[in-house]
Amino acid sequence: MTDNGVHLDRIRQIAIRVLDLDRAIAFYRDVLGMRFLFRAPPGLGFFDCGGIRLMLSVSESPETDHPSSILYYSVSDIEGAHATLESRGVTFEAAPHVVHRAEDYDLWLGFFHDTEGNPLALMAEVPRP
């Protein structure tokens, strides 16, 4: 296989499914002492975990309604990484797209699965002009 510069070696975010977001946020913030970052719809809470973002997430579909984590790999060029991984046989649920617009960056995600059906994602914080 040719090395074309795409290496997934930096985890940026891990998702943990929760049943009660308020209860879970209180536990991670007040009991574990983690630094709370923000909440986002439709049912997400974010914490800083030593530079890796921990996302608490209420399940949106029956397929994800079980204990699981999602590894989010940080990439600098999400469209290039997407194209490279597709050329290697990875099937994405959809093309990477913007899921959140912050003041100074757009957050892009692209989801795929490993050979065992575990969800994985590419993630990029693209600076806004």
Side-chain angles (χ1 to χ4, degrees):
M1 179 180 300
T2 305
D3 179 3
N4 56 7
V6 174
H7 304 280
L8 300 183
D9 59 4
R10 183 171 169 241
I11 294 173
R12 177 70 172 113
Q13 179 169 288
I14 298 172
I16 296 177
R17 189 197 59 81
V18 300
L19 297 174
D20 182 320
L21 185 61
D22 291 330
R23 179 180 65 203
I25 286 175
F27 175 79
Y28 282 86
R29 181 190 58 220
D30 303 336
V31 176
L32 299 184
M34 293 180 66
R35 187 167 68 91
F36 180 70
L37 297 173
F38 60 93
R39 285 180 82 129
L44 308 171
F46 295 87
F47 290 84
D48 177 59
C49 187
I52 296 174
R53 196 177 299 153
L54 177 66
M55 179 180 77
L56 305 180
S57 172
V58 175
S59 178
E60 294 181 46
S61 68
E63 295 82 32
T64 60
D65 193 14
H66 57 82
S68 175
S69 295
I70 302 172
L71 300 181
Y72 290 77
Y73 292 96
S74 181
V75 295
S76 57
D77 175 9
I78 195 164
E79 291 173 332
H82 171 252
T84 297
L85 293 177
E86 275 194 327
S87 75
R88 294 179 184 170
V90 172
T91 301
F92 282 78
E93 293 177 9
H97 57 281
V98 175
V99 297
H100 175 69
R101 294 188 190 284
E103 187 174 315
D104 56 344
Y105 69 89
D106 291 337
L107 177 61
W108 287 69
L109 296 177
F111 291 91
F112 59 101
H113 293 85
D114 69 10
T115 57
E116 309 310 305
N118 296 305
L120 302 169
L122 297 180
M123 175 182 209
E125 293 179 357
V126 179
R128 298 188 85 182

